[in-house]
Amino acid sequence: MKKITLIVGIALAASLVTLAAEEKESTKAPLKGKSSATAEQHVIVTPADLKWVDAPPGLPPGAKMAVLEGDPTKKGNFTVRLQAPADYKVPPHTHPTAEHITVISGTMNFGAGEKFDEAAGKESPMGSYVIMPAGMKHYAWSSGEAIIQIHGMGPFEIKYVNPADDPRNAKR
Ligand SMILES: [Cu+2]
């Protein structure tokens, strides 16, 4: 719980290597992380650098997201963290690119297939690493509050197996 408290609710600091123009852009658009490291420059993101905002509308409401690297909506490497409240469920879905997941804190559960079935999922405690290949149908849920880190190649899109599960189709 200490770790979660440390990570939550703190601001994204400007990188030593980020250009001034880019800094302005990132304060306007919180869903943009630091640029990827280059041959000359490294990137360090500490928990205090993370800026948590509501997760994008493609995910069920209630989760927070922080971008660590890149821009998940654009082409290129990205790394984000997702903070899921207790009993958060992401119904069966696919992504056009592989999803690489590391459980940072708490416990998430992951299952494969087009039907949400807790009995068929695997409990994945802190430190677990999961790869969901591009196009593979899968689902997830949290046991208590959990933080996962997702990295992959953008653009990171989510397509629900059942369109009725897509929160973007829900009337708000
Ligand atoms: Cu997924």
Side-chain angles (χ1 to χ4, degrees):
M1 290 312 285
K2 211 175 184 182
K3 200 173 277 178
I4 295 168
T5 323
L6 262 179
I7 290 170
V8 174
I10 32 197
L12 179 70
S15 157
L16 288 174
V17 301
T18 310
L19 299 172
E22 246 184 324
E23 281 173 28
K24 267 180 211 156
E25 205 182 314
S26 67
T27 45
K28 259 186 269 170
L31 275 184
K32 185 181 186 310
K34 300 184 181 192
S35 305
S36 295
T38 65
E40 298 85 28
Q41 295 155 333
H42 67 298
V43 169
I44 297 176
V45 181
T46 68
D49 296 330
L50 299 179
K51 183 170 187 181
W52 293 90
V53 297
D54 287 339
L59 285 167
K64 295 277 182 191
M65 183 178 276
V67 179
L68 284 77
E69 179 193 354
D71 180 342
T73 67
K74 298 208 168 74
K75 208 173 165 186
N77 289 316
F78 75 89
T79 305
V80 300
R81 283 192 194 165
L82 187 75
Q83 183 198 24
D87 302 317
Y88 184 74
K89 290 184 172 70
V90 186
H93 63 273
T94 61
H95 307 284
T97 52
E99 178 178 31
H100 304 254
I101 303 158
T102 306
V103 181
I104 302 287
S105 67
T107 297
M108 283 295 287
N109 305 269
F110 300 94
E114 56 184 27
K115 200 175 148 251
F116 193 99
D117 179 8
E118 293 200 357
K122 183 161 171 69
E123 190 178 78
S124 307
M126 180 172 79
S128 300
Y129 183 61
V130 176
I131 303 173
M132 297 296 184
M136 199 194 78
K137 293 169 182 142
H138 61 277
Y139 53 91
W141 75 97
S142 62
S143 305
E145 189 184 87
I147 295 177
I148 58 171
Q149 178 162 301
I150 303 168
H151 77 269
M153 283 297 286
F156 189 59
E157 285 159 9
I158 181 163
K159 189 180 172 204
Y160 288 89
V161 173
N162 178 1
D165 285 335
D166 191 333
R168 291 165 293 198
N169 293 336
K171 283 177 189 149
R172 300 199 173 202

